[in-house]
Amino acid sequence: MILFNSDYTEGAHERILRRLAETNLEQTPGYGCDNYCLQAAQVIQKLCQREVQVHFLVGGTQTNTTVIASLLHPYQGVLAPDTGHIAVHETGAVEGTGHKVLTLPGREGKISAQQIEEAVRAHREDASAEHMVQPKMVYISQPTEFGTLYTRAELSAIYQVCRAYSLYLFVDGARLAYGMEAPDNDITLPELASMCDVFYIGGTKAGALFGEAVVFTKPGLGEEFRYMIKHQGGMLAKGRLLGLQFLELLKDGLYWELGQNGDKMADRLREAFREAGYPLLVENRTNQIFPIIPDEHLARLSESFGFEYQKRIDDSHSAVRFCTGWATTEAQVQALVDAIREINK
Amino acid sequence: MILFNSDYTEGAHERILRRLAETNLEQTPGYGCDNYCLQAAQVIQKLCQREVQVHFLVGGTQTNTTVIASLLHPYQGVLAPDTGHIAVHETGAVEGTGHKVLTLPGREGKISAQQIEEAVRAHREDASAEHMVQPKMVYISQPTEFGTLYTRAELSAIYQVCRAYSLYLFVDGARLAYGMEAPDNDITLPELASMCDVFYIGGTKAGALFGEAVVFTKPGLGEEFRYMIKHQGGMLAKGRLLGLQFLELLKDGLYWELGQNGDKMADRLREAFREAGYPLLVENRTNQIFPIIPDEHLARLSESFGFEYQKRIDDSHSAVRFCTGWATTEAQVQALVDAIREINK
Amino acid sequence: MILFNSDYTEGAHERILRRLAETNLEQTPGYGCDNYCLQAAQVIQKLCQREVQVHFLVGGTQTNTTVIASLLHPYQGVLAPDTGHIAVHETGAVEGTGHKVLTLPGREGKISAQQIEEAVRAHREDASAEHMVQPKMVYISQPTEFGTLYTRAELSAIYQVCRAYSLYLFVDGARLAYGMEAPDNDITLPELASMCDVFYIGGTKAGALFGEAVVFTKPGLGEEFRYMIKHQGGMLAKGRLLGLQFLELLKDGLYWELGQNGDKMADRLREAFREAGYPLLVENRTNQIFPIIPDEHLARLSESFGFEYQKRIDDSHSAVRFCTGWATTEAQVQALVDAIREINK
Amino acid sequence: MILFNSDYTEGAHERILRRLAETNLEQTPGYGCDNYCLQAAQVIQKLCQREVQVHFLVGGTQTNTTVIASLLHPYQGVLAPDTGHIAVHETGAVEGTGHKVLTLPGREGKISAQQIEEAVRAHREDASAEHMVQPKMVYISQPTEFGTLYTRAELSAIYQVCRAYSLYLFVDGARLAYGMEAPDNDITLPELASMCDVFYIGGTKAGALFGEAVVFTKPGLGEEFRYMIKHQGGMLAKGRLLGLQFLELLKDGLYWELGQNGDKMADRLREAFREAGYPLLVENRTNQIFPIIPDEHLARLSESFGFEYQKRIDDSHSAVRFCTGWATTEAQVQALVDAIREINK
């Protein structure tokens, strides 16, 4: 059985395990106040080419919730695509901190500057504005839940609207490695850092055992964020595990290589799906592929491969998700390609 | 520099690192739905000698908050010693979920059945009861923040009061390994499981990279706890890391050996402190030692050893905490013992 | 200027003011523990023809929030029409207590048993159910935000689904007086009480200075609700003001008469709008009317009459809301009817 | 039976009832956007002799919670006397918004500038500060729960510390009328306004049916407070009821007269208690009196008079509270004085 269910089915890149073993009995202060975290933050700052505040957290939902709750007043909410992770797959963690997720209809997982502007203006112009949640932040993912990417022009337009209307822009980068390395990506890391207020570099889905590096890119934000992490129960005792992993991932560009691997393997699968005549629900070049496949083919594939059901398309077809990742091997992909060919022979 | 600041200054026991490496590229389902978690839960159930519900979380504050918020109604609070971790050192994480921590004056970190009964009766008999937070849970730690232990008789009395007044009893076992192995402990794991509603077996401070195993010991509790974990942002994507670590820790009694090591090393230090004529702030037999030391001695010790300041005792003496642990070596302890002797020569 | 903006533009029915004056210097216990509240609860119980638990709150948002937060676990949410008051016009008060409002697309403000069943089944059948908010309650209004009514058959079907899937059914009755007295209403109060778990009888919009009477109709619910009211900051010191008002409203059927007045006045307006050829955005027989009116006519009407803007229909037409109520007089309605005729002459 | 249980046993001053009746059928916009609220805010601004932001809420717990939650970040808490209303008698309403109440031991209900400074410094100097709730606000009551008053010097010292350490100072004025009119009060309203960041003028306990006027005295605070009120479920539909009542209370100094009445009646009772040889638990000159009375005398008094039990003093004596108020008459006081004399004859 080969699992293409997600990009977190395996452990960590071997270099990370090696570093964990090498440093295992070193004694360090707890809670992220160690040198590894310090150094990793400096590396990230250098990569961003601007002064930033870096904090390390364990997982994505925790990160989204902690960032959002740290910046909003109780009566403020966060605009997000209706398919956004915070809107759908976090069991109401953001609401748990008291904030409403204000959804906008996404297009292949993306929302536009215009939608945001209209939503904020509609709120401000409403005579009953005080009776409604005040939009104060925009949450988007790069890449999105559908593996699609915001272009530099799109992101820039969104950030312009955010600045014009005093909204924070928060970019969920759980799969940033795959986004950055996609052939059609036109945004560099420094550009990303300059076009939002806070984003994160996802480790969990790109070679780390766990870990997300939150980057506050604007002065004044994130200053008391450590209180907030603790308040949300997210402060890791052996914090150096986070710093150490990011330090290793960002050394010699390993992180980007891992992203590239996922994207390349996905491209191979996309080609096989096209060859088999399976249309794609969404076009993208990152590590998630959403083919529409005859149900009987799916039944056969599911004997040897894991994937995620998405939705029924018609009586005999369903959309599913295959996800490659930093650990996906050519052999795994070839096995799937062969199986697809065999079924379509 | 040798750190005695805490029991989480090092990484993990080598057997754990080895298992992580061995299983690293296995593909498993995420979020704790893997076989390692399943097996670890079964091992714990067997050790508890009763039917239990086991869930794995990453850290202590997260665990405390999630358990407490999962069992209380909004207007209910949790009784705890005024020195309890949830009352002092969690940046209001419990309050963040809307619940008040109702503190009782602790005696060396412990509260008594009588105190609990009096608090609940005072609440119920108050004509303004509805204007006050309703006590509905008791939170204690075994061992406590001061390394002291509840005896079987004390715990039994507390649980009896809890049942009589329909309170949940929740035992924080972040340092359970050290408590269980203390020479003066008279409670077995099955007894602990039978004398509370929920407790946890701490991994972070006893040989794991991280991880706490929550054990609901009464039927009906913990059934939808996975929703709660996710809601609180505490569900680890690569959940098998938790199951795997506990599986290894609980194999061949490694966990208890690690606890024993911490306690033994602490005993060695306690003896050295006594020999030096340093009184102890609190008597205990677990892995935390609280000597009262002349300030000038502390100054000299602090050149080579890390420890935690507790409080000023008089003009020239302070109480500090030295913490041993699963990873503390004889050599580290001997170095400290030698230094103490040298200073007191 | 005559205001048709809402049904809370005036104070209270004169009988209520009189009773307030008559009893003004009586000394009573506070917080709703007085005889007026007790008697009012008994009257409501008798009207419902079943054993119920009655509590009095000051306002609607407070009532919705307190009821919802009292019944749900942190990871549970409430299904509601996307136009529901809790979803749109409460500044995130429900989210403020940690719960997500799970919206379903409403049809003229209403949702169906089928929609609810589909939503719950979709949740339960989803392999990632634990990663999503668990639907546990249904919130509807009778009448809805659009003045429409659930029929007995519709409500019964909804409640059947709720029982089948263990959901609470909560009916917002802020405008219940107008709903009950509508010519097309086919639900009696005892029937309503039997077909939900909790509902409220709105006073604010039907002749009281303020006040909503929450009625828990199923055993076991609402027992510690007074703690919850206080926890939410909603317990009125001079609670007897609430009991007294409801006692007077429900005496000799005054409450229903006031509802009837609003509905009748609305019918008169509806006829005038039809006569003028203004189509209605929504058909209903309660006290809110939503005509679509040429903008230039609106400009003229707005010189003498207050109403609420709803939305633009086309380049030259807008939908607005005229609201009658318990205090609306024939003279006020006639003035508006005359104005409409004058404009359309 | 004459009730001295509280200062909210009666309705409202007759002038208020009269105004309610006179204006009853006026049509006004809802939610506090009416002219009465506007005018009342202007009157309060004039009385404060500085630019302020005024908002009207219904009750005290609601006011405390809404103000506190509007100013703090999630990880911040509010320092308060351990006997403070928010610490004891609000069923965890403040915690319900996620904030910890950080209690300081009160002395007759009061805390000192020094205690506050020490608490904040202890927090800041603690190496684990981030693991503890950050003190960011001070909550005190004038008069306190024990009827005692802060002197101008004390309040000034507290505010100085607050400014030095960037803490908000919030003064609960639920009984401000009685405090201001006490013979030993040396703080004027403009002085109070200048020596805190936000306070409120209590209406519920001083002649109104209900209502508290929140006054933000520093620029920038309170600007989006209406969102916050609605978010907390505290926005009254017929908001003019609040403005109207305060307008009437503050006209011709009625509010202060009512406060004076309570204080004078209390003085009469205090004298009777002294004459009877009943010591007072706390010395004060406001409307709450805390005599220590032989239990058998209490038994006899309780046949004709209501009062509140406080605590047992010894085997045969208890401390109780008698509360006078705006509505207390000479006849009521005389009846109690006579009864005391009769018992002690």
Side-chain angles (χ1 to χ4, degrees):
Chain A
M1 196 71 169
I2 302 173
L3 303 186
F4 288 97
N5 296 69
S6 76
D7 29 23
Y8 43 87
T9 44
E10 289 88 0
H13 189 269
E14 58 178 346
R15 274 173 50 186
I16 282 183
L17 283 195
R18 204 180 311 137
R19 282 300 285 155
L20 287 179
E22 284 168 8
T23 62
N24 188 46
L25 292 181
E26 278 181 24
Q27 291 190 311
T28 57
Y31 304 114
C33 297
D34 60 283
N35 270 324
Y36 296 115
C37 286
L38 185 66
Q39 288 170 35
Q42 286 167 344
V43 168
I44 289 170
Q45 170 148 323
K46 201 168 288 178
L47 288 172
C48 288
Q49 296 178 13
R50 64 191 296 134
E51 202 155 319
V52 298
Q53 277 256 9
V54 181
H55 295 277
F56 301 100
L57 287 101
V58 170
T61 295
Q62 189 182 87
T63 303
N64 290 336
T65 305
T66 309
V67 167
I68 291 168
S70 79
L71 293 175
L72 300 186
H73 288 295
Y75 51 87
Q76 297 175 331
V78 50
L79 289 162
D82 51 7
T83 53
H85 203 262
I86 59 168
V88 181
H89 278 117
E90 304 194 348
T91 317
V94 170
E95 287 82 2
T97 64
H99 301 285
K100 195 183 186 79
V101 179
L102 303 159
T103 54
L104 298 173
R107 211 170 143 173
E108 303 197 333
K110 291 160 64 178
I111 52 175
S112 70
Q114 193 189 330
Q115 282 179 293
I116 295 163
E117 184 164 20
E118 282 168 7
V120 179
R121 292 187 62 165
H123 175 80
R124 296 200 181 171
E125 290 163 9
D126 196 307
S128 300
E130 294 161 345
H131 295 253
M132 292 182 287
V133 172
Q134 186 186 82
K136 185 63 184 175
M137 183 187 267
V138 171
Y139 163 93
I140 57 175
S141 305
Q142 176 80 334
T144 69
E145 297 295 305
F146 288 110
T148 52
L149 288 173
Y150 288 88
T151 64
R152 193 197 297 149
E154 288 168 341
L155 183 62
S156 168
I158 288 174
Y159 193 45
Q160 223 170 306
V161 166
C162 287
R163 277 178 304 181
Y165 291 91
S166 297
L167 309 174
Y168 298 110
L169 179 56
F170 172 30
V171 180
D172 173 336
R175 292 195 169 96
L176 192 61
Y178 305 107
M180 281 301 184
E181 294 300 312
D184 56 345
N185 171 50
D186 68 351
I187 306 180
T188 65
L189 193 63
E191 283 170 348
L192 174 60
S194 75
M195 291 194 288
C196 68
D197 297 294
V198 51
F199 72 100
Y200 62 99
I201 302 174
T204 303
K205 294 173 174 169
L209 287 174
F210 54 85
E212 318 293 314
V214 175
V215 187
F216 288 94
T217 66
K218 296 302 168 299
L221 302 180
E223 269 170 21
E224 295 192 325
F225 195 65
R226 284 176 56 78
Y227 277 97
M228 195 66 205
I229 297 174
K230 183 73 186 180
H231 178 72
Q232 289 297 115
M235 195 172 274
L236 190 65
K238 301 181 183 177
R240 54 109 163 249
L241 299 176
L242 291 163
L244 198 78
Q245 291 186 88
F246 273 97
L247 209 48
E248 192 60 30
L249 278 176
L250 295 170
K251 201 165 122 186
D252 308 330
L254 173 61
Y255 184 71
W256 313 115
E257 275 171 39
L258 296 179
Q260 210 172 50
N261 182 73
D263 291 347
K264 270 190 189 161
M265 296 297 112
D267 264 357
R268 295 264 311 269
L269 285 184
R270 263 185 288 265
E271 191 165 326
F273 292 135
R274 286 204 192 92
E275 194 183 290
Y278 300 159
L280 298 181
L281 188 67
V282 180
E283 286 293 335
N284 70 46
R285 297 296 300 275
T286 60
N287 70 320
Q288 300 179 80
I289 317 124
F290 298 87
I292 296 168
I293 301 184
D295 293 332
E296 53 181 307
H297 293 195
L298 282 179
R300 285 175 62 189
L301 285 173
S302 69
E303 289 163 20
S304 311
F305 302 94
F307 49 84
E308 298 277 310
Y309 191 81
Q310 296 293 303
K311 64 173 181 182
R312 177 143 298 286
I313 298 299
D314 63 30
D315 274 7
S316 57
H317 292 78
S318 299
V320 295
R321 184 187 78 166
F322 284 83
C323 193
T324 59
W326 63 274
T328 307
T329 62
E330 303 232 346
Q332 290 172 329
V333 167
Q334 193 58 49
L336 177 53
V337 169
D338 290 348
I340 294 168
R341 286 182 182 154
E342 176 65 25
I343 287 170
N344 286 280
K345 209 162 50 182
Chain B
M1 197 72 170
I2 301 174
L3 303 186
F4 288 96
N5 297 69
S6 75
D7 30 22
Y8 42 88
T9 43
E10 290 88 0
H13 190 268
E14 56 177 349
R15 272 173 50 185
I16 283 182
L17 283 194
R18 203 180 312 137
R19 282 300 286 154
L20 287 179
E22 284 168 9
T23 62
N24 188 46
L25 292 181
E26 278 180 24
Q27 290 190 312
T28 57
Y31 304 114
C33 298
D34 60 281
N35 270 324
Y36 296 116
C37 286
L38 184 66
Q39 289 170 34
Q42 286 167 344
V43 168
I44 289 170
Q45 169 148 322
K46 201 169 286 179
L47 290 172
C48 288
Q49 296 177 15
R50 64 189 300 132
E51 201 156 320
V52 297
Q53 276 257 8
V54 180
H55 295 278
F56 301 100
L57 285 100
V58 169
T61 296
Q62 189 182 86
T63 303
N64 290 336
T65 306
T66 309
V67 167
I68 292 167
S70 78
L71 292 174
L72 300 185
H73 288 296
Y75 51 86
Q76 297 175 330
V78 51
L79 289 161
D82 52 5
T83 53
H85 203 263
I86 59 167
V88 181
H89 278 118
E90 303 194 347
T91 317
V94 170
E95 286 83 1
T97 65
H99 301 286
K100 195 181 185 80
V101 179
L102 302 159
T103 54
L104 298 173
R107 210 171 144 173
E108 302 196 337
K110 291 160 64 179
I111 52 176
S112 70
Q114 193 189 330
Q115 282 179 292
I116 295 163
E117 184 164 19
E118 281 168 9
V120 178
R121 290 187 63 163
H123 175 81
R124 296 201 181 171
E125 289 163 9
D126 196 306
S128 301
E130 295 162 344
H131 296 252
M132 293 183 286
V133 172
Q134 185 187 82
K136 184 65 184 174
M137 183 188 267
V138 172
Y139 162 94
I140 58 175
S141 305
Q142 177 80 334
T144 69
E145 298 294 305
F146 288 110
T148 52
L149 288 173
Y150 288 89
T151 64
R152 194 196 299 149
E154 289 168 340
L155 184 62
S156 169
I158 288 175
Y159 193 46
Q160 222 169 309
V161 167
C162 287
R163 276 177 307 180
Y165 292 92
S166 297
L167 308 175
Y168 298 110
L169 178 56
F170 171 31
V171 180
D172 174 337
R175 291 193 169 96
L176 191 62
Y178 305 108
M180 281 301 182
E181 294 301 312
D184 55 345
N185 172 49
D186 69 350
I187 306 180
T188 65
L189 194 64
E191 284 169 348
L192 174 60
S194 75
M195 291 193 290
C196 68
D197 297 295
V198 51
F199 73 100
Y200 61 99
I201 303 174
T204 303
K205 293 171 175 170
L209 287 174
F210 54 84
E212 317 294 314
V214 176
V215 187
F216 289 94
T217 66
K218 296 303 168 301
L221 301 181
E223 270 170 19
E224 294 192 325
F225 195 64
R226 284 175 56 78
Y227 277 97
M228 196 65 204
I229 297 174
K230 183 73 186 180
H231 179 71
Q232 289 296 116
M235 194 172 274
L236 191 65
K238 301 179 183 178
R240 56 106 165 250
L241 299 175
L242 292 162
L244 197 78
Q245 291 186 87
F246 273 97
L247 208 50
E248 192 61 30
L249 278 175
L250 296 171
K251 201 164 121 187
D252 308 328
L254 173 61
Y255 184 71
W256 313 114
E257 275 171 40
L258 296 179
Q260 210 173 50
N261 182 73
D263 290 346
K264 270 190 189 163
M265 296 298 112
D267 264 356
R268 295 262 314 268
L269 285 184
R270 261 185 290 265
E271 192 167 325
F273 291 136
R274 285 206 192 91
E275 193 184 290
Y278 299 159
L280 297 181
L281 188 67
V282 180
E283 286 294 335
N284 70 44
R285 297 295 298 275
T286 60
N287 71 320
Q288 300 178 80
I289 318 125
F290 299 87
I292 295 168
I293 301 184
D295 292 332
E296 52 181 306
H297 292 195
L298 281 179
R300 285 175 62 189
L301 285 173
S302 69
E303 288 162 20
S304 310
F305 301 94
F307 49 83
E308 298 278 310
Y309 192 82
Q310 296 293 302
K311 63 173 182 183
R312 176 143 299 285
I313 297 299
D314 63 29
D315 274 6
S316 57
H317 293 77
S318 299
V320 295
R321 184 187 78 165
F322 284 83
C323 194
T324 58
W326 63 275
T328 308
T329 63
E330 303 232 348
Q332 290 171 331
V333 166
Q334 194 57 51
L336 178 52
V337 169
D338 290 347
I340 294 167
R341 287 180 182 155
E342 176 65 26
I343 288 171
N344 286 282
K345 208 163 45 183
Chain C
M1 196 73 169
I2 302 174
L3 302 187
F4 288 97
N5 296 69
S6 74
D7 29 22
Y8 42 90
T9 42
E10 289 87 1
H13 189 268
E14 58 178 347
R15 274 174 48 188
I16 283 183
L17 283 194
R18 204 180 312 138
R19 280 300 286 155
L20 286 178
E22 285 168 7
T23 63
N24 188 46
L25 291 181
E26 278 181 26
Q27 291 191 312
T28 59
Y31 305 114
C33 298
D34 60 283
N35 271 324
Y36 296 116
C37 286
L38 185 66
Q39 288 170 35
Q42 286 167 343
V43 168
I44 289 171
Q45 170 149 323
K46 200 170 287 179
L47 289 173
C48 288
Q49 296 177 15
R50 64 190 299 133
E51 201 156 320
V52 298
Q53 277 257 7
V54 181
H55 295 278
F56 301 100
L57 286 99
V58 170
T61 295
Q62 190 182 87
T63 302
N64 290 335
T65 305
T66 308
V67 167
I68 291 168
S70 79
L71 292 175
L72 299 185
H73 289 294
Y75 51 87
Q76 297 175 331
V78 51
L79 290 161
D82 51 7
T83 52
H85 204 262
I86 59 167
V88 181
H89 278 118
E90 303 192 350
T91 318
V94 171
E95 286 82 2
T97 64
H99 301 286
K100 195 182 185 80
V101 179
L102 302 159
T103 54
L104 297 173
R107 211 171 142 171
E108 302 196 336
K110 290 161 64 178
I111 51 175
S112 70
Q114 192 189 330
Q115 282 180 291
I116 295 164
E117 183 164 21
E118 280 168 8
V120 178
R121 291 188 62 164
H123 176 80
R124 296 201 180 172
E125 289 163 8
D126 196 306
S128 301
E130 294 161 346
H131 296 253
M132 293 182 286
V133 172
Q134 184 185 84
K136 185 66 184 174
M137 184 187 267
V138 171
Y139 162 94
I140 58 175
S141 306
Q142 177 80 333
T144 70
E145 297 295 306
F146 288 109
T148 52
L149 288 173
Y150 289 88
T151 63
R152 193 197 298 149
E154 287 169 341
L155 183 62
S156 168
I158 288 175
Y159 193 45
Q160 221 169 310
V161 166
C162 287
R163 277 178 304 180
Y165 292 92
S166 296
L167 308 175
Y168 298 109
L169 179 55
F170 171 31
V171 180
D172 173 337
R175 292 194 169 97
L176 193 61
Y178 305 107
M180 282 301 184
E181 295 300 313
D184 56 345
N185 171 49
D186 69 350
I187 306 180
T188 65
L189 194 63
E191 283 169 349
L192 174 60
S194 74
M195 290 194 288
C196 69
D197 297 295
V198 50
F199 73 100
Y200 61 99
I201 302 173
T204 303
K205 294 172 175 169
L209 287 174
F210 54 85
E212 317 294 314
V214 176
V215 186
F216 289 94
T217 66
K218 297 302 168 299
L221 302 180
E223 271 171 18
E224 295 193 324
F225 195 65
R226 283 176 57 79
Y227 277 97
M228 195 66 205
I229 296 173
K230 183 73 186 180
H231 178 72
Q232 289 297 116
M235 194 172 274
L236 190 66
K238 301 181 183 178
R240 56 106 166 249
L241 299 177
L242 291 162
L244 198 77
Q245 291 185 88
F246 274 97
L247 209 48
E248 191 62 29
L249 278 176
L250 296 170
K251 202 165 119 186
D252 308 328
L254 173 62
Y255 185 71
W256 313 115
E257 274 171 40
L258 296 179
Q260 209 172 52
N261 182 71
D263 291 345
K264 270 190 190 162
M265 296 297 114
D267 264 355
R268 295 262 313 269
L269 284 184
R270 261 186 289 267
E271 190 166 327
F273 291 136
R274 284 206 192 91
E275 193 184 290
Y278 300 159
L280 298 181
L281 188 67
V282 180
E283 286 293 337
N284 70 43
R285 298 294 300 276
T286 61
N287 71 320
Q288 301 178 79
I289 317 124
F290 298 88
I292 296 168
I293 301 184
D295 293 332
E296 53 180 307
H297 292 193
L298 282 178
R300 286 175 63 189
L301 285 173
S302 69
E303 288 162 21
S304 310
F305 302 95
F307 48 83
E308 297 278 309
Y309 191 82
Q310 296 292 303
K311 62 173 183 184
R312 176 142 301 284
I313 298 298
D314 63 30
D315 274 7
S316 58
H317 293 78
S318 299
V320 295
R321 184 187 77 166
F322 283 83
C323 193
T324 59
W326 63 274
T328 307
T329 62
E330 303 233 348
Q332 289 171 330
V333 167
Q334 193 59 49
L336 178 52
V337 168
D338 290 348
I340 294 167
R341 287 182 182 155
E342 175 67 25
I343 287 171
N344 285 280
K345 208 164 46 184
Chain D
M1 196 72 169
I2 301 174
L3 303 187
F4 288 96
N5 296 69
S6 75
D7 30 22
Y8 42 90
T9 42
E10 289 88 1
H13 190 270
E14 58 178 346
R15 273 176 47 188
I16 283 183
L17 283 194
R18 204 181 311 137
R19 281 300 286 155
L20 287 179
E22 285 168 8
T23 63
N24 188 46
L25 292 181
E26 279 181 24
Q27 291 190 310
T28 58
Y31 305 113
C33 297
D34 60 283
N35 270 325
Y36 296 115
C37 286
L38 184 66
Q39 287 170 36
Q42 286 167 344
V43 168
I44 289 171
Q45 170 148 320
K46 201 169 287 179
L47 289 172
C48 288
Q49 295 177 15
R50 63 190 297 134
E51 200 156 322
V52 298
Q53 277 256 7
V54 180
H55 295 278
F56 301 101
L57 286 100
V58 170
T61 296
Q62 189 182 87
T63 302
N64 290 335
T65 305
T66 308
V67 167
I68 291 168
S70 78
L71 292 175
L72 300 185
H73 289 294
Y75 51 88
Q76 297 175 330
V78 51
L79 290 161
D82 51 5
T83 52
H85 204 262
I86 59 167
V88 182
H89 278 119
E90 304 193 349
T91 317
V94 171
E95 288 82 2
T97 64
H99 301 285
K100 194 181 186 81
V101 179
L102 302 159
T103 54
L104 297 173
R107 212 171 142 173
E108 303 197 333
K110 290 162 64 178
I111 52 175
S112 70
Q114 193 188 330
Q115 283 179 291
I116 295 164
E117 182 164 22
E118 281 169 7
V120 178
R121 291 188 62 164
H123 176 80
R124 296 200 181 173
E125 289 163 10
D126 196 305
S128 301
E130 294 161 346
H131 295 253
M132 293 183 287
V133 172
Q134 186 186 83
K136 184 66 185 173
M137 183 187 266
V138 171
Y139 163 94
I140 57 175
S141 304
Q142 177 80 333
T144 69
E145 297 295 307
F146 288 109
T148 53
L149 288 174
Y150 289 88
T151 64
R152 194 198 298 150
E154 289 168 339
L155 183 62
S156 169
I158 288 175
Y159 193 46
Q160 221 169 308
V161 167
C162 287
R163 277 178 305 181
Y165 292 91
S166 298
L167 309 174
Y168 299 109
L169 179 55
F170 171 32
V171 180
D172 173 337
R175 290 195 170 95
L176 193 60
Y178 305 108
M180 281 301 185
E181 294 301 314
D184 55 346
N185 172 50
D186 69 351
I187 306 180
T188 66
L189 193 64
E191 283 169 349
L192 174 60
S194 75
M195 290 195 289
C196 67
D197 298 294
V198 51
F199 72 100
Y200 61 99
I201 301 173
T204 303
K205 294 171 174 170
L209 287 174
F210 54 84
E212 316 294 314
V214 176
V215 187
F216 289 94
T217 66
K218 296 302 169 299
L221 302 180
E223 271 170 18
E224 296 193 323
F225 195 65
R226 284 175 56 78
Y227 277 97
M228 196 66 204
I229 297 173
K230 183 72 186 182
H231 178 72
Q232 290 298 116
M235 193 172 275
L236 190 65
K238 302 180 182 177
R240 56 108 166 248
L241 299 176
L242 292 162
L244 197 77
Q245 290 185 87
F246 273 97
L247 209 48
E248 191 61 30
L249 278 176
L250 296 171
K251 202 165 121 186
D252 308 328
L254 173 62
Y255 184 72
W256 313 115
E257 274 171 40
L258 296 180
Q260 209 172 50
N261 182 73
D263 292 345
K264 270 191 190 162
M265 296 297 113
D267 264 356
R268 297 262 313 266
L269 285 184
R270 262 185 290 265
E271 192 166 325
F273 293 135
R274 284 205 193 92
E275 193 184 289
Y278 301 158
L280 297 181
L281 188 68
V282 180
E283 286 293 336
N284 70 44
R285 299 294 300 276
T286 60
N287 71 320
Q288 300 179 80
I289 318 123
F290 298 88
I292 296 168
I293 301 185
D295 293 331
E296 54 180 306
H297 293 195
L298 281 179
R300 285 177 62 190
L301 284 173
S302 68
E303 288 162 21
S304 310
F305 302 94
F307 48 84
E308 298 278 310
Y309 191 82
Q310 296 292 304
K311 62 173 182 184
R312 175 144 298 287
I313 297 298
D314 62 30
D315 274 6
S316 57
H317 292 78
S318 300
V320 296
R321 185 188 77 166
F322 284 83
C323 193
T324 59
W326 63 274
T328 307
T329 63
E330 304 233 347
Q332 291 172 329
V333 166
Q334 194 57 49
L336 177 52
V337 169
D338 290 348
I340 294 167
R341 286 182 182 156
E342 174 66 24
I343 287 171
N344 286 280
K345 209 164 43 181

